[in-house]
Amino acid sequence: MPLESVDISKTASAATIIFDALKKAIIEGEIEEGAPLRQDEIARMFNTSRIPVREAILRLEEHGLVRSQRYKGAVVSSLSSTEASEIFDFRAVLEPHVIHHAVPRMTRETLAQARGFCEAFHRETDPMQWGDLNRQFHATLYDASGLTYHLEAIDGALNRIDRYLRAQLVLSRGMSRANDEHMQIQEACERGDADKAAELTRQHILGARDSLILHLSSITG
Amino acid sequence: MPLESVDISKTASAATIIFDALKKAIIEGEIEEGAPLRQDEIARMFNTSRIPVREAILRLEEHGLVRSQRYKGAVVSSLSSTEASEIFDFRAVLEPHVIHHAVPRMTRETLAQARGFCEAFHRETDPMQWGDLNRQFHATLYDASGLTYHLEAIDGALNRIDRYLRAQLVLSRGMSRANDEHMQIQEACERGDADKAAELTRQHILGARDSLILHLSSITG
DNA sequence: TTATTGCATATTGGATCCAATTTACAATAA
DNA sequence: TTATTGTAAATTGGATCCAATATGCAATAA
């Protein structure tokens, strides 16, 4: 047939649109911890009824991003420093395994793309962009592993601590240190040294954990 | 006050009841892979409207237990052998770490309770019970770690492959082999040998993976 | 026969309404 | 004042209704 087949972009459901928007706002810290999510307030913001809002909130709760009590509503989840620390440890177990599996499967395109993000991260002057570029760099390397279940679990863990990671990058030496470590990881991957890439990744995560915990305890005592 | 304080068992919401029931039925294989979940059919079964059913199905989807397409409904997720294999690998990364962390934190009660499940598993003659006792044994040991985020992730992974694990235990040497390995893990924990417990756990999982994959490929080719 | 079209039915997504519960606050009593 | 009680408003959970889409089948044309 002479017509080009065009992907009719089936507009997502209202519930999905609201879910994505709330997820982004919560992850990036736009809504603060403990803040309540009022169903009809959100419904008005999206010009829908409360039904898709409730579905979005339910899905967020399954990911641990909000906590809700019957008849009392949902609030954005907060993390104690021990909970945050455990999630870093979780990442420190999974991510070295994933990158080790990924290194022998990385293509030239993978490495070029990762290097692009790595350098963009280095050059970027807007702190609001650091968090995204950081995640894109790591995700590009990890994606080569093809371990979709692992990747989803890592993504969920990152979502839970994303606002802390962003705060961390703004700290005195957070950005420059992350940048140095990214460069080392990138180079290990380019050399095909899976063991080194895995160990550097582990230390990258545990270092971030320790510096964050130190920071949190210096604030709250 | 002279009255005993009694926990008024606040009846769970309809959505939660339906969610739990569907989750159990899917995990245990009572509903077969690919089977559609009709909203009003389920609603009639629970004497509710479709609203709580939809919420339950949405939550199941977030856990990967069902897949749904817009206007087409939800079906029970199926797993390819490569997907199943990856989930075993995922467990093989996390569970040794968790038990290693748990061993020095195990109390006499922990060990006694685990030994109870271990022996009950050994004695049990009803294959329908094997799956539960197997999970209870491991969960008892893991719980001592206090790593709640890890435990949730492991639980989610187990839910995805539970029906295969159950099938596996019924295979020729599945039950007796699992039993031997449980005994060794139990003894390592009682000796306080965290390294050994972790390594045995790793082999326990990878052995199950290999035997399952072998079995699946012998069926489907 | 075989493929295609059109329509009736089935099913899901969302809006609106009502019920159940919590929360805020005023009224009252110690 | 301070604690307690009662009531109204706010909020969530669920039921019912309508809209949007998919599915199955009969009718038709090649």
Side-chain angles (χ1 to χ4, degrees), chain B residues 72-103:
Chain B
K72 291 175 96 177
V75 298
V76 176
S77 295
S78 56
L79 276 186
S80 67
S81 64
T82 56
E83 289 170 322
S85 179
E86 190 198 335
I87 293 180
F88 276 93
D89 290 340
F90 180 84
R91 293 179 52 208
V93 174
L94 280 183
E95 295 185 35
H97 172 78
V98 167
I99 205 169
H100 193 279
H101 196 264
V103 165

Side-chain angles (χ1 to χ4, degrees), chain B residues 125-167:
Chain B
T125 56
D126 178 8
M128 298 300 293
Q129 305 300 322
W130 290 349
D132 289 334
L133 288 169
N134 178 46
R135 280 184 74 158
Q136 284 174 311
F137 167 67
H138 290 291
T140 302
L141 294 176
Y142 297 165
D143 279 349
S145 73
L147 299 173
T148 58
Y149 191 86
H150 293 68
L151 294 179
E152 271 182 41
I154 291 170
D155 218 51
L158 282 169
N159 286 342
R160 293 287 293 274
I161 57 173
D162 203 73
R163 66 178 69 205
Y164 299 105
L165 286 178
R166 288 167 186 272

Side-chain angles (χ1 to χ4, degrees), chain A residues 73-92:
Chain A
V75 299
V76 176
S77 295
S78 56
L79 276 185
S80 67
S81 65
T82 57
E83 288 169 324
S85 179
E86 190 198 333
I87 292 180
F88 276 92
D89 289 339
F90 180 83
R91 292 179 53 209

Side-chain angles (χ1 to χ4, degrees), chain B residues 99 102-108 111-112 115 141 180-201:
Chain B
I99 205 169
V103 165
R105 291 166 177 79
M106 290 176 184
T107 64
R108 279 178 207 77
L111 290 167
R115 177 165 284 277
L141 294 176
D180 290 346
E181 293 174 356
H182 288 177
M183 292 294 191
Q184 290 186 38
I185 292 171
Q186 172 77 25
E187 286 163 15
C189 291
E190 289 177 355
R191 290 196 311 272
D193 189 341
D195 289 346
K196 187 69 177 176
E199 180 56 23
L200 287 170
T201 297

Side-chain angles (χ1 to χ4, degrees), chain B:
Chain B
M1 67 177 61
L3 286 177
E4 288 199 10
S5 69
V6 178
D7 253 343
I8 300 284
S9 63
K10 45 177 77 171
T11 62
S13 68
T16 299
I17 292 173
I18 296 172
F19 172 73
D20 289 340
L22 287 178
K23 186 171 111 176
K24 184 170 188 290
I26 291 172
I27 288 171
E28 299 185 354
E30 192 177 332
I31 312 177
E32 63 183 0
E33 290 181 341
L37 301 179
R38 297 292 170 211
Q39 292 178 6
D40 56 359
E41 177 185 354
I42 297 169
R44 277 194 300 273
M45 290 167 56
F46 288 90
N47 285 313
T48 67
S49 74
R50 282 164 43 225
I51 295 286
V53 176
R54 281 156 59 173
E55 297 184 347
I57 289 176
L58 279 177
R59 291 170 61 186
L60 290 170
E61 188 172 14
E62 295 308 305
H63 287 297
L65 292 173
V66 309
R67 292 183 197 287
S68 61
Q69 286 181 298
R70 200 172 184 208
Y71 294 118
K72 291 175 96 177
V75 298
V76 176
S77 295
S78 56
L79 276 186
S80 67
S81 64
T82 56
E83 289 170 322
S85 179
E86 190 198 335
I87 293 180
F88 276 93
D89 290 340
F90 180 84
R91 293 179 52 208
V93 174
L94 280 183
E95 295 185 35
H97 172 78
V98 167
I99 205 169
H100 193 279
H101 196 264
V103 165
R105 291 166 177 79
M106 290 176 184
T107 64
R108 279 178 207 77
E109 289 70 30
T110 300
L111 290 167
Q113 194 179 351
R115 177 165 284 277
F117 286 126
C118 189
E119 291 171 353
F121 180 81
H122 177 64
R123 284 194 307 268
E124 182 62 58
T125 56
D126 178 8
M128 298 300 293
Q129 305 300 322
W130 290 349
D132 289 334
L133 288 169
N134 178 46
R135 280 184 74 158
Q136 284 174 311
F137 167 67
H138 290 291
T140 302
L141 294 176
Y142 297 165
D143 279 349
S145 73
L147 299 173
T148 58
Y149 191 86
H150 293 68
L151 294 179
E152 271 182 41
I154 291 170
D155 218 51
L158 282 169
N159 286 342
R160 293 287 293 274
I161 57 173
D162 203 73
R163 66 178 69 205
Y164 299 105
L165 286 178
R166 288 167 186 272
Q168 159 131 2
L169 287 175
V170 187
L171 294 183
S172 57
R173 296 182 26 75
M175 170 63 181
S176 66
R177 176 173 164 182
N179 192 59
D180 290 346
E181 293 174 356
H182 288 177
M183 292 294 191
Q184 290 186 38
I185 292 171
Q186 172 77 25
E187 286 163 15
C189 291
E190 289 177 355
R191 290 196 311 272
D193 189 341
D195 289 346
K196 187 69 177 176
E199 180 56 23
L200 287 170
T201 297
R202 203 178 95 90
Q203 289 172 6
H204 183 55
I205 295 167
L206 294 181
R209 178 199 63 181
D210 293 340
S211 119
L212 177 68
I213 300 306
L214 200 66
H215 178 63
L216 286 180
S217 61
S218 78
I219 292 176
T220 63

Side-chain angles (χ1 to χ4, degrees), chain A:
Chain A
M1 67 176 61
L3 286 176
E4 286 199 12
S5 69
V6 179
D7 253 341
I8 300 283
S9 63
K10 46 177 75 174
T11 62
S13 68
T16 299
I17 293 173
I18 296 172
F19 172 74
D20 289 340
L22 287 179
K23 187 170 109 176
K24 184 169 187 291
I26 292 172
I27 288 171
E28 298 186 355
E30 191 177 334
I31 312 178
E32 63 183 359
E33 292 182 342
L37 301 178
R38 299 291 171 210
Q39 293 177 7
D40 57 358
E41 178 186 352
I42 297 169
R44 276 194 302 273
M45 289 167 56
F46 288 90
N47 284 314
T48 66
S49 73
R50 282 165 43 226
I51 295 287
V53 176
R54 281 157 58 173
E55 297 183 347
I57 290 176
L58 279 177
R59 291 169 61 185
L60 290 170
E61 187 172 14
E62 295 307 306
H63 286 297
L65 292 174
V66 309
R67 293 183 195 287
S68 62
Q69 285 181 300
R70 192 144 127 105
Y71 294 118
K72 292 174 100 177
V75 299
V76 176
S77 295
S78 56
L79 276 185
S80 67
S81 65
T82 57
E83 288 169 324
S85 179
E86 190 198 333
I87 292 180
F88 276 92
D89 289 339
F90 180 83
R91 292 179 53 209
V93 174
L94 280 183
E95 295 185 35
H97 173 77
V98 167
I99 204 169
H100 193 279
H101 196 264
V103 165
R105 292 169 177 77
M106 290 176 183
T107 64
R108 278 179 208 76
E109 287 72 30
T110 301
L111 291 167
Q113 194 179 350
R115 178 165 283 277
F117 286 125
C118 190
E119 291 171 353
F121 180 81
H122 178 62
R123 284 193 307 270
E124 183 61 58
T125 56
D126 177 8
M128 299 300 292
Q129 304 299 322
W130 291 349
D132 289 333
L133 288 169
N134 179 46
R135 278 183 75 157
Q136 284 174 312
F137 167 68
H138 289 292
T140 301
L141 294 176
Y142 296 165
D143 280 349
S145 71
L147 299 174
T148 58
Y149 191 86
H150 293 68
L151 294 178
E152 271 183 41
I154 291 170
D155 218 53
L158 283 170
N159 286 341
R160 293 288 291 274
I161 56 173
D162 204 71
R163 65 178 69 205
Y164 299 105
L165 287 179
R166 288 167 186 272
Q168 159 126 4
L169 286 176
V170 187
L171 294 183
S172 57
R173 296 182 24 76
M175 169 63 181
S176 67
R177 176 172 166 183
N179 191 60
D180 290 346
E181 293 173 357
H182 288 177
M183 292 295 192
Q184 290 185 39
I185 292 171
Q186 171 77 27
E187 285 163 15
C189 291
E190 289 177 354
R191 290 195 311 273
D193 189 341
D195 289 346
K196 187 70 176 174
E199 181 54 24
L200 287 170
T201 297
R202 201 178 96 91
Q203 289 171 7
H204 182 56
I205 295 167
L206 293 181
R209 178 198 64 182
D210 292 339
S211 119
L212 177 69
I213 299 306
L214 200 64
H215 178 65
L216 286 181
S217 61
S218 78
I219 292 177
T220 64

